[in-house]
Amino acid sequence: MITYVECECMIHDSHSLKEKRAVLQRVLSRLKQKYNVAVSEIDHQDVWQRTRIAIVTVASSKASSEREIENALKFIDSFPEWERTETIRELI
């Protein structure tokens, strides 16, 4: 089972692309280390307070795939530097 999620996030305290990238790199690298997911920024690379990331996981069952994505989303929400504003989920 493949679960794909796109998340749009706002980084409110960012005042430059350099600050945005610092926050984004910290979150994405920890997410990759802690969970069995692939993650990447897929949109708004040139905007300094907004990002869209994609998270994908592959598992043998729908339940384990969804659980991994839910844990990853909770982890993303634990960072006070940004706010998740939109989430699109797809099961394949």
Side-chain angles (χ1 to χ4, degrees):
M1 179 61 58
I2 301 169
T3 304
Y4 172 81
V5 174
E6 282 185 23
C7 300
E8 178 120 0
C9 298
M10 294 296 295
I11 306 170
H12 297 291
D13 292 333
S14 175
H15 302 301
S16 69
L17 285 174
K18 187 175 182 178
E19 289 178 8
K20 173 194 172 181
R21 287 187 192 112
V23 171
L24 194 58
Q25 276 304 111
R26 184 172 61 251
V27 174
L28 297 186
S29 64
R30 289 182 185 174
L31 191 60
K32 290 175 191 177
Q33 291 170 355
K34 192 168 176 115
Y35 299 100
N36 185 24
V37 297
V39 61
S40 180
E41 182 179 30
I42 59 169
D43 200 3
H44 309 302
Q45 286 94 341
D46 57 345
V47 180
W48 44 268
Q49 284 190 318
R50 194 169 155 198
T51 188
R52 180 174 288 270
I53 61 172
I55 306 168
V56 179
T57 190
V58 178
S60 59
S61 71
K62 179 180 176 182
S64 61
S65 176
E66 288 181 335
R67 184 173 45 251
E68 195 70 24
I69 289 293
E70 280 303 315
N71 290 336
L73 291 174
K74 287 178 188 174
F75 183 72
I76 286 173
D77 291 339
S78 72
F79 287 88
E81 296 96 328
W82 67 4
E83 171 189 6
R84 185 164 46 109
T85 58
E86 179 185 12
T87 304
I88 300 168
R89 193 181 298 243
E90 189 175 330
L91 297 170
I92 301 170

